[in-house]
């Protein structure tokens, strides 16, 4: 069978690599892919943009693609799965209506409320309805969120009322385009952040291996928020009892609630959580897709055939499937371009990839492109070096050995990915 992966980041390189390893798969197409997918055996890049729904369905029909997996949120929120289904094509992901869980934080908050799923108290406003006096009466810090998709930049934690007000006004004034027409204002929650990713088939749930990412750019979890500077799996913060509690209090009511509202959810579902000191798993956000970079270490550990799991989900048979995991830990270090996440420099020549290819582990590409046989930087997050090991510390050593082989002008990566898990393993604090 032929598989189509939509997207061009590190997550999509990992998806393409994983699907190409299946004995059932003859070829994987990636639209549009990157320099890493271009070099992968049995993988072919196709110049179709991830948001070009008509182009994607035409490609899948012309190439007789048996299974499409959509990587990023934008095409899902734009209705990619509906377009494929209307064309009689099999596509793994939520419908446009179900993807509103990510596409509209206003919808997600009202959904959470309707189904009694733990989350921060909040209120949603349009410009017409907004009352600054209400905001000034709320305790600080306040969390201000553009309701729509804002590429991970639409959340501001405001320490004081003036900052919160200015943020709200900026969003209403169009700072995030139409994503800021509605604004969610919510209470600040303290605790430990965790992410939880499952596959769903509308009814049944298959949890993926646990993972944890590092959202801040700099060591010690400091500096600006990013899409993610590294991730590891498993995540010791998700203990067995917390795992059970997240399924019971968050994931199961979400899938049940969506089905009850006539929006059965098929696809990957990612819950971003803040675990309160008493263990309550509060939902900060839903994503209707896999995480990036969480996918890279997760898929390094997946021993089952991902195409089999996706097809079972499309047939609503996920209850008959199990996912088998490499018991080793995997850890990915994101290597970013100069200026990330603010203004990113592109076009720097990447050296050392051949040497890295001789080492154990795997480098997934994200923002890269080929030009005259050379690999150039082409985005903020450029590469993700993933190591495997008997524990997170060993996986971390392998990942950094890989990353340290590779160079370009202005390359930046954190030196401490996984430090909390490594401390736990060492019996430290
Ligand atoms: P989101 O895109 O909604 O997950 O928000 C991005 C980041 O902002 C999260 O990963 C958290 O670090 C932080 N955040 C979001 N909502 C809250 C909240 N209610 N309390 C504290 N931190 C939050
Ligand atoms: N790494 C966080 C995300 O994919 O949303």
């Amino acid at each position: 069978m032929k598989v189509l992966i939509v997207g061009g980041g590190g997550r999509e390189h990992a998806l393409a690599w994983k699907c190409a390893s299946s004995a059932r798969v003859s070829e994987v197409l990636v639209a549009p892919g990157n320099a890493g997918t271009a070099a992968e055996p049995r993988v072919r890049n196709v110049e179709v943009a991830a948001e070009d729904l008509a182009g994607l369905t035409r490609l899948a029909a012309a190439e007789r693609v048996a299974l499409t997996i959509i990587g990023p949120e934008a095409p899902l929120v734009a209705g990619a799965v509906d377009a494929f289904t209307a064309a009689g094509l099999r596509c793994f992901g939520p419908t446009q209506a179900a993807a509103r869980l990510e596409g509209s934080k206003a919808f997600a908050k009202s959904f959470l409320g309707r189904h009694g799923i733990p989350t921060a108290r909040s209120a949603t406003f349009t410009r017409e309805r907004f009352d600054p006096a209400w905001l000034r009466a709320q305790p600080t810090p306040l969390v201000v969120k553009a309701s729509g998709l804002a590429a991970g930049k639409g959340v501001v934690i405001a320490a004081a009322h003036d900052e919160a007000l200015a943020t709200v006004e900026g969003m209403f004034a169009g700072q995030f385009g139409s994503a800021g027409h509605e604004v969610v204002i919510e209470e600040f929650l303290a605790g430990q952040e965790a992410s939880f990713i499952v596959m769903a088939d509308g009814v049944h749930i298959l949890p993926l291996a646990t993972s944890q990412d590092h959202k801040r750019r700099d060591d010690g979890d400091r500096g600006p928020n990013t899409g993610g500077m590294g991730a590891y799996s498993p995540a010791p913060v998700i203990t067995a009892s917390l795992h059970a509690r997240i399924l019971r209090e968050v994931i199961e009511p979400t899938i049940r609630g969506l089905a009850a509202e006539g929006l059965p959810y098929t696809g990957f579902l990612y819950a971003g959580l803040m675990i309160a000191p008493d263990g309550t798993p509060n939902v900060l956000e839903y994503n209707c897709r896999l995480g990036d970079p969480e996918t890279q270490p997760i898929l390094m550990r997946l021993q089952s055939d991902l195409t089999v799991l996706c097809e079972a989900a499309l047939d609503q048979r996920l209850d008959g499937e199990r996912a088998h995991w490499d018991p080793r830990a995997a850890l990915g270090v994101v290597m970013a371009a100069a200026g990330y996440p603010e203004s990113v420099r592109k076009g720097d020549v990447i050296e050392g990839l051949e040497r890295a290819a001789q080492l154990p582990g795997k480098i997934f590409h994200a923002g890269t492109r080929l030009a005259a046989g050379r690999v150039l930087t082409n985005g903020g997050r450029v590469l993700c070096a993933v190591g495997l090991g008997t524990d997170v510390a060993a996986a971390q050593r392998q990942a950094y050995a890989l990353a340290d082989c590779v160079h370009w002008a202005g390359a930046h990566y954190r030196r401490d990915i996984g430090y909390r898990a490594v401390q736990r393993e060492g019996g430290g604090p």
Side-chain angles (χ1 to χ4, degrees):
M1 66 193 274
K2 278 194 196 179
V3 174
L4 169 62
I5 305 295
V6 175
R11 168 182 50 210
E12 289 77 25
H13 185 182
L15 282 165
W17 165 81
K18 182 66 197 164
C19 290
S21 74
S22 164
R24 316 163 71 215
V25 172
S26 55
E27 189 178 30
V28 177
L29 309 182
V30 191
N34 56 38
T37 53
E40 212 55 73
R42 287 203 287 170
V43 177
R44 170 162 56 104
N45 286 353
V46 186
E47 287 257 338
V48 178
E51 292 80 26
D52 177 4
L53 303 190
L56 292 171
T57 51
R58 261 200 313 275
L59 170 69
E63 294 275 355
R64 300 183 184 282
V65 166
L67 171 68
T68 297
I69 304 175
I70 310 277
E73 61 276 15
L76 291 165
V77 170
V81 170
D82 311 69
F84 273 76
T85 307
L89 296 161
R90 306 250 286 170
C91 182
F92 184 66
T95 60
Q96 182 170 35
R100 285 181 77 207
L101 272 194
E102 176 166 2
S104 166
K105 286 186 193 284
F107 172 80
K109 292 300 292 194
S110 67
F111 175 86
L112 288 159
R114 281 197 293 285
H115 297 280
I117 301 168
T119 189
R121 282 185 303 115
S122 72
T124 299
F125 297 98
T126 54
R127 184 194 278 272
E128 296 69 42
R129 294 259 180 83
F130 180 60
D131 174 9
W134 174 90
L135 186 148
R136 290 207 178 272
Q138 304 305 310
T140 53
L142 277 170
V143 185
V144 180
K145 303 184 175 187
S147 177
L149 293 185
K153 298 188 178 77
V155 175
V156 173
I157 297 172
H161 291 122
D162 286 343
E163 186 189 353
L165 271 176
T167 304
V168 173
E169 294 302 342
M171 287 180 181
F172 285 150
Q175 191 193 352
F176 297 105
S178 60
H181 286 173
E182 270 186 308
V183 170
V184 173
I185 302 176
E186 70 179 28
E187 69 176 318
F188 178 83
L189 297 177
Q192 161 94 269
E193 266 191 87
S195 31
F196 201 89
I197 310 176
V198 304
M199 295 176 77
D201 69 4
V203 178
H204 313 105
I205 294 156
L206 182 71
L208 300 185
T210 60
S211 64
Q212 181 82 48
D213 78 341
H214 289 269
K215 289 211 170 72
R216 303 293 202 96
R217 188 189 60 195
D218 302 325
D219 283 14
D221 293 318
R222 280 187 265 269
N225 251 319
T226 71
M229 294 300 290
Y232 52 96
S233 172
V237 57
I238 314 277
T239 59
S241 68
L242 182 56
H243 193 277
R245 190 164 174 188
I246 293 168
L247 278 173
R248 194 171 62 240
E249 295 182 24
V250 175
I251 304 295
E252 287 164 9
T254 300
I255 297 301
R256 239 188 353 254
L258 286 165
E261 295 190 13
L263 311 171
Y265 192 100
T266 300
F268 297 107
L269 177 67
Y270 172 137
L273 305 168
M274 185 70 84
I275 312 299
D278 72 355
T280 303
N282 288 297
V283 176
L284 294 180
E285 63 163 346
Y286 288 111
N287 295 316
C288 60
R289 49 163 178 85
L290 286 166
D292 189 344
E294 293 93 327
T295 301
Q296 291 85 313
I298 288 175
L299 291 186
M300 281 286 276
R301 296 186 57 219
L302 180 63
Q303 293 170 328
S304 310
D305 187 327
L306 184 64
T307 66
V308 169
L309 299 180
C310 291
E311 291 205 303
L314 285 168
D315 296 334
Q316 210 165 93
R317 298 187 274 102
L318 213 41
D319 52 332
E321 294 293 335
R322 281 199 52 198
H324 297 279
W325 302 99
D326 189 324
R328 289 177 296 172
L331 182 141
V333 175
V334 169
M335 304 181 72
Y340 182 72
E342 285 97 12
S343 61
V344 173
R345 196 170 77 203
K346 297 181 181 177
D348 288 304
V349 178
I350 305 174
E351 315 268 13
L353 289 166
E354 302 75 19
R355 204 150 69 84
Q358 310 300 315
L359 297 179
K362 171 92 186 157
I363 291 188
F364 293 107
H365 290 224
T368 65
R369 72 184 174 88
L370 279 175
R374 294 186 309 180
V375 180
L376 306 184
T377 64
N378 193 38
R381 293 187 292 174
V382 176
L383 302 172
C384 180
V386 184
L388 278 167
T390 48
D391 55 14
V392 176
Q396 188 191 50
R397 281 193 295 278
Q398 197 177 90
Y400 279 109
L402 271 177
D404 290 342
C405 278
V406 179
H407 306 278
W408 70 86
H412 167 83
Y413 52 103
R414 282 180 58 164
R415 299 292 336 177
D416 66 344
I417 299 302
Y419 72 91
R420 285 208 181 83
V422 171
Q423 270 169 8
R424 275 187 189 232
E425 286 170 348

